[in-house]
């Protein structure tokens, strides 16, 4: 997923969206193409912990607030409040540093960042790792909301019940290669495990 997002170089293959080949060499290219990545390690790669909820929400989309040489701070603030309320981010103020939020709320700030960037494709790498059951349910609700809006969502997860619960199509990898692609209707934990270990 880091290669899809331009964070590392890919050695082969092509990336296409709506039938058009994309040339993604940097995360900036990916953001401009409408791709957002919620990384596995949110604290090191998804957030700037010493910055505020507001700053973390808007920094991937900062260009849309530019007005000549200035930033439209009132529109910026309006959007931050909108995503805070829509995602139920619990924070005493939008100026609160993200490091003081719970794990679930930190994760929702990363979601807010890509919603604010108006992505078309969302890549979520282990989106519920390290958060409590209540926050997991809220994350699933956000994913379903995005799908209902016609967005494409790719979820990478090591939790098979999670995959079976939220995915329409499941691609199973074994030793770095695609081992099987199955629809949710015909998938079971046993069949996925079978392909994960190489069909043995």
């Amino acid at each position: 997923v880091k290669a899809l997002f331009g964070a590392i170089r890919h050695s082969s293959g092509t990336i296409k969206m709506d039938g058009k080949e994309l040339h993604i060499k940097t995360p900036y290219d990916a953001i401009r193409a409408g791709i957002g990545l919620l990384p596995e390690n949110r604290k090191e790669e998804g957030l700037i912990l010493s910055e505020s909820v507001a700053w973390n929400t808007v920094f991937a989309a900062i260009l849309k607030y530019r007005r000549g040489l200035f930033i439209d701070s009132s529109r910026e603030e309006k959007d931050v409040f909108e995503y805070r309320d829509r995602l139920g981010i619990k924070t005493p103020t939008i100026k609160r540093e993200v490091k003081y939020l719970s794990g679930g709320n930190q994760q929702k700030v990363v979601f807010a960042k890509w919603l604010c960037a108006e992505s078309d494709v969302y890549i979520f790498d282990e989106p519920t790792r390290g958060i409590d059951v209540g926050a997991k349910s809220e994350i699933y609700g956000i994913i379903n909301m995005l799908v209902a809006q016609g967005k494409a969502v790719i979820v990478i997860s090591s939790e098979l019940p999670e995959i079976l619960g939220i995915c329409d199509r499941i691609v199973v990898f074994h030793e770095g290669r695609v081992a099987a692609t199955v629809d949710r209707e015909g998938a079971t934990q046993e069949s996925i495990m079978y392909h994960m270990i190489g069909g043995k």
Side-chain angles (χ1 to χ4, degrees):
V1 294
K2 288 183 179 179
L4 288 174
F5 193 63
I8 60 174
R9 292 185 62 182
H10 60 275
S11 55
S12 63
T14 57
I15 302 170
K16 292 183 178 180
M17 186 187 299
D18 295 326
K20 179 183 177 182
E21 184 173 345
L22 303 178
H23 300 282
I24 296 174
K25 296 181 180 179
T26 66
Y28 179 69
D29 294 335
I31 293 169
R32 289 186 63 190
I35 299 172
L37 170 64
L38 188 151
E40 181 178 0
N41 189 333
R42 64 175 174 266
K43 290 187 176 181
E44 292 184 9
E45 300 174 333
L47 297 165
I48 307 298
L49 295 176
S50 59
E51 293 290 347
S52 67
V53 170
W55 192 89
N56 275 280
T57 299
V58 302
F59 83 90
I62 198 68
L63 291 180
K64 80 177 186 181
Y65 300 106
R66 190 171 64 184
R67 295 291 179 269
L69 298 175
F70 303 97
I71 296 293
D72 187 344
S73 56
S74 61
R75 182 188 173 200
E76 188 180 73
E77 187 175 84
K78 176 177 176 291
D79 285 353
V80 173
F81 280 121
E82 176 187 342
Y83 293 117
R84 181 203 63 180
D85 295 342
R86 193 195 301 185
L87 301 184
I89 299 169
K90 295 178 178 63
T91 177
T93 168
I94 61 172
K95 299 185 184 300
R96 182 75 161 174
E97 291 179 15
V98 170
K99 65 184 177 184
Y100 295 117
L101 303 187
S102 68
N105 283 298
Q106 287 179 353
Q107 194 77 314
K108 286 190 275 188
V109 172
V110 185
F111 275 86
K113 174 175 69 175
W114 296 119
L115 289 173
C116 186
E118 300 175 344
S119 301
D120 295 309
V121 176
Y122 295 83
I123 306 172
F124 299 145
D125 192 356
E126 301 288 355
T128 62
R129 176 171 290 175
I131 61 178
D132 62 37
V133 174
K136 281 187 178 184
S137 178
E138 291 178 307
I139 295 299
Y140 298 150
I142 294 168
I143 291 172
N144 289 331
M145 175 191 72
L146 293 171
V147 172
Q149 293 173 356
K151 307 294 185 180
V153 180
I154 301 170
V155 176
I156 297 93
S157 177
S158 54
E159 297 187 31
L160 296 187
E162 181 168 90
I163 290 291
L164 290 167
I166 61 176
C167 294
D168 297 308
R169 185 172 53 178
I170 302 164
V171 181
V172 187
F173 283 79
H174 173 69
E175 295 185 351
R177 296 183 180 277
V178 175
T181 302
V182 295
D183 290 330
R184 176 170 55 184
E185 288 74 16
T188 63
Q189 290 194 50
E190 291 76 16
S191 65
I192 293 174
M193 284 296 298
Y194 175 81
H195 295 297
M196 286 173 64
I197 61 175
K200 298 177 182 178

